[in-house]
Amino acid sequence: VGHAVLAINGAEVNGRFTADGKDVLEFLGNPANYPVSIRFGRHRLSSNEKLMLASMFHSLFAIGSQLSPEIGSSGIEMLETDTFKLHCFQTLTGIKFMVLADPRQAGIDSLLRKIYEIYSDFALKNPFYSLEMPIRCELFDQNLKLALEVAEKAGPFGPGS
Amino acid sequence: MSRPPGRKQENHKISRELFVLTYGALVAQLCKDYEKDEDVNTFLDRMGYGIGVRLIDDFLARSAVKKCRSYSETADMIAQVAFKMYLGVTPSVSCSNTAGNEFSLILDKNPLVDFVEELPAERASLCYCNLLCGVIRGALEMVQLAAEVTFLQDRLKGDAVTEIGITFLRKAEDRKHKR
């Protein structure tokens, strides 16, 4: 469910057509093209889809902190499933940072704080970045990628959160 | 400035002189652009506001402080942690009313005016450091605290001390629902 054809014989597929304009179903229907290797997977989310899912989570977060039997609950910090863990860190300014990771991955707390620093440096200190807009800052992306790589390498036995 | 361990960036220090000169150039230009002191004050405050709304996250990310539970804690935090972190000075804090929402920060030393002795006669009502008021106001707003921040006394205008007044306007709202 939710999976689609991502590539055929190594060439990326975009919707119904391959990168060089061939119709996917036509190609797959022609026995002359066999054997063929097909890669299935989940599509990457578009920016709009991400915004939608994030706003849904924002509402769930607010509801969660209201439903909590503890007063002054800080909201949803972690959502655990069989296949992934969603970690959420809310700053005192109300910004939420969310990380989806392998359930066994350690060190996510420090990663979230690192991401806060990266945001405060490369997004906020960029005078051309407007608050509340999607972040399209090269330096932000680069540093974020670096931080993720470091966290990933640390693996399940990484430094304490 | 101390940073948490593991931070890859070097601790670049920029000369204080450059900062003071830059600020002075900013004020001088605003004075050329606008005749009225009130206008210059307004624009300094506005620029400060723009800085404050961004600086707050830098402050929170670096200092990792916990949420303040009262106006008094907040005022202390501003004076003892934030001022120290960004300007290297620690103003003293006092509460100026019984309701507990008006505070004043008295600045002994103000790095921004190190090289300024007094205001010229034609700029008598200029609040030279009004940028600072805007910064505090902007930063507080981002943590859901509305406040009025003004200079109550100014050494440059001949007062004995430089005093910033912070008046918190309404109770901090439950921020989970805002934003």
Side-chain angles (χ1 to χ4, degrees):
Chain A
V1 175
H3 283 239
V5 174
L6 290 185
I8 294 188
N9 289 340
E12 290 219 356
V13 162
N14 209 341
R16 280 199 53 160
F17 295 93
T18 64
D20 40 346
K22 290 200 281 277
D23 188 310
V24 167
L25 290 177
E26 236 183 79
F27 187 81
L28 293 177
N30 186 352
N33 292 323
Y34 300 164
V36 67
S37 77
I38 311 178
R39 180 158 62 91
F40 290 97
R42 300 193 86 92
H43 262 306
R44 296 201 60 145
L45 294 173
S46 73
S47 295
N48 275 341
E49 283 168 338
K50 283 182 188 164
L51 280 173
M52 207 175 62
L53 290 175
S55 9
M56 256 195 266
F57 184 77
H58 173 84
S59 317
L60 289 174
F61 188 100
I63 295 172
S65 60
Q66 283 280 285
L67 287 177
S68 167
E70 294 275 321
I71 9 162
S73 161
S74 63
I76 299 175
E77 280 184 1
M78 183 155 65
L79 194 85
E80 193 172 342
T81 75
D82 288 338
T83 47
F84 70 90
K85 265 190 190 167
L86 182 149
H87 301 252
C88 181
F89 167 56
Q90 183 178 239
T91 67
L92 292 175
T93 47
I95 304 175
K96 293 176 198 49
F97 292 99
M98 293 180 276
V99 168
L100 279 91
D102 188 283
R104 293 155 302 175
Q105 182 76 41
I108 299 290
D109 274 356
S110 59
L111 172 64
L112 282 166
R113 275 147 192 74
K114 179 86 185 123
I115 296 177
Y116 189 19
E117 279 179 27
I118 295 175
Y119 168 73
S120 89
D121 280 343
F122 299 104
L124 291 185
K125 293 191 183 70
N126 180 337
F128 305 112
Y129 165 67
S130 321
L131 291 183
E132 321 249 327
M133 296 303 287
I135 302 170
R136 301 206 195 289
C137 309
E138 186 71 48
L139 283 174
F140 176 78
D141 293 333
Q142 279 172 15
N143 280 274
L144 181 60
K145 194 151 171 265
L146 268 173
L148 289 173
E149 278 165 15
V150 167
E152 225 174 327
K153 283 202 185 81
F157 308 106
S161 306
Chain B
M1 234 167 47
S2 68
R3 295 191 189 218
R7 194 162 165 76
K8 288 196 183 125
Q9 271 185 313
E10 286 158 32
N11 202 355
H12 287 300
K13 283 202 182 333
I14 298 186
S15 111
R16 169 185 166 132
E17 279 72 22
L18 179 60
F19 175 67
V20 172
L21 279 170
T22 305
Y23 187 75
L26 182 78
V27 179
Q29 186 59 47
L30 282 176
C31 288
K32 282 202 193 92
D33 293 340
Y34 301 101
E35 261 188 47
K36 295 207 202 129
D37 290 346
E38 299 82 61
D39 289 340
V40 179
N41 292 342
T42 304
F43 283 108
L44 279 173
D45 182 87
R46 209 178 278 182
M47 290 170 72
Y49 179 83
I51 295 174
V53 299
R54 292 172 183 245
L55 196 68
I56 180 68
D57 278 310
D58 180 88
F59 173 68
L60 292 173
R62 281 195 211 318
S63 63
V65 293
K66 298 267 177 288
K67 184 167 150 177
C68 291
R69 274 171 238 286
S70 65
Y71 291 143
S72 164
E73 257 188 66
T74 309
D76 284 339
M77 184 72 73
I78 296 173
Q80 288 155 14
V81 191
F83 263 85
K84 183 99 176 63
M85 197 189 269
Y86 293 110
L87 287 173
V89 294
T90 314
S92 54
V93 187
S94 57
C95 183
S96 34
N97 75 346
T98 44
N101 69 327
E102 278 176 31
F103 293 86
S104 72
L105 273 63
I106 309 242
L107 281 111
D108 242 356
K109 286 191 297 174
N110 182 355
L112 289 175
V113 302
D114 269 350
F115 306 125
V116 181
E117 219 181 358
E118 56 180 22
L119 295 172
E122 64 271 17
R123 288 281 173 196
S125 27
L126 176 67
C127 290
Y128 186 82
C129 299
N130 220 29
L131 193 94
L132 287 181
C133 295
V135 173
I136 298 173
R137 185 170 66 87
L140 286 174
E141 197 172 293
M142 293 305 271
V143 286
Q144 276 77 45
L145 290 172
E148 263 170 25
V149 188
T150 47
F151 272 93
L152 298 174
Q153 293 191 77
D154 196 344
R155 273 222 188 95
L156 289 182
K157 292 184 182 154
D159 296 320
V161 292
T162 300
E163 183 184 350
I164 299 179
I166 304 178
T167 306
F168 291 98
L169 294 177
R170 56 167 200 269
K171 244 191 130 25
E173 302 203 9
D174 195 355
R175 73 176 59 94
K176 280 104 187 173
H177 308 300
K178 296 291 170 178
R179 265 200 102 82

